[in-house]
Amino acid sequence: MKGRPQIVLDIAGVLLSNMSLTCWKDISQETNLSAESLRVHFAGIKRKLWTGMMREEEFWQSLKEMYPELSISRAKDILYNSIVPLPAAKYLERWSGSADIHLLSNHCKEWIEPKLSHLSSFTKSITISNQV
């Protein structure tokens, strides 16, 4: 007997939007910082965040230390609100009727988990790098 097909989908950029330069621009508008300097700071430490070597709160603390004028609560709101479902997300339920769906992401669980709640019921597994 042949098993069901297995489909592995990346979460960020396929099912949910990824953080974009627009996100960093929106955060920078809250301060006198440039979006590029925020993006560069993030690029320098995201590997630690994605691999779980740095906890999410440590990330925010590193931003606060580097940019004391930055409102972390406002930056979190902007970042969380910038992660939205992409068109493929609406097909997940239909696809799950024909195949086992597995989600995979190099991301921070805390940032994408709230947006995954309605998608997780259609999946067999979800693997997020900072949790592994």
Side-chain angles (χ1 to χ4, degrees), residues 7-20:
I7 298 176
V8 179
L9 298 171
D10 190 1
I11 296 170
V14 176
L15 297 174
L16 299 175
S17 61
N18 215 342
M19 294 174 305
S20 66

Side-chain angles (χ1 to χ4, degrees), residues 36-77:
E36 185 60 19
S37 69
L38 288 168
R39 190 194 62 74
V40 167
H41 179 80
F42 177 72
I45 62 175
K46 74 178 181 181
R47 181 176 176 86
K48 288 181 181 179
L49 187 61
W50 283 182
T51 60
M53 293 171 52
M54 173 186 277
R55 294 186 328 264
E56 183 211 16
E57 276 309 312
E58 291 174 306
F59 163 75
W60 293 114
Q61 185 59 39
S62 75
L63 277 180
K64 187 67 173 170
E65 289 170 6
M66 188 89 155
Y67 310 107
E69 68 275 24
L70 180 64
S71 165
I72 298 303
S73 63
R74 181 69 182 126
K76 284 181 178 183
D77 287 345

Side-chain angles (χ1 to χ4, degrees), residues 4 15 88-99 101 118-119 121-123:
R4 286 170 47 98
L15 297 174
K90 63 183 164 198
Y91 296 107
L92 206 58
E93 181 177 10
R94 183 171 57 175
W95 295 340
S96 70
S98 302
I101 307 291
H118 71 285
L119 301 177
S121 61
F122 307 118
T123 65

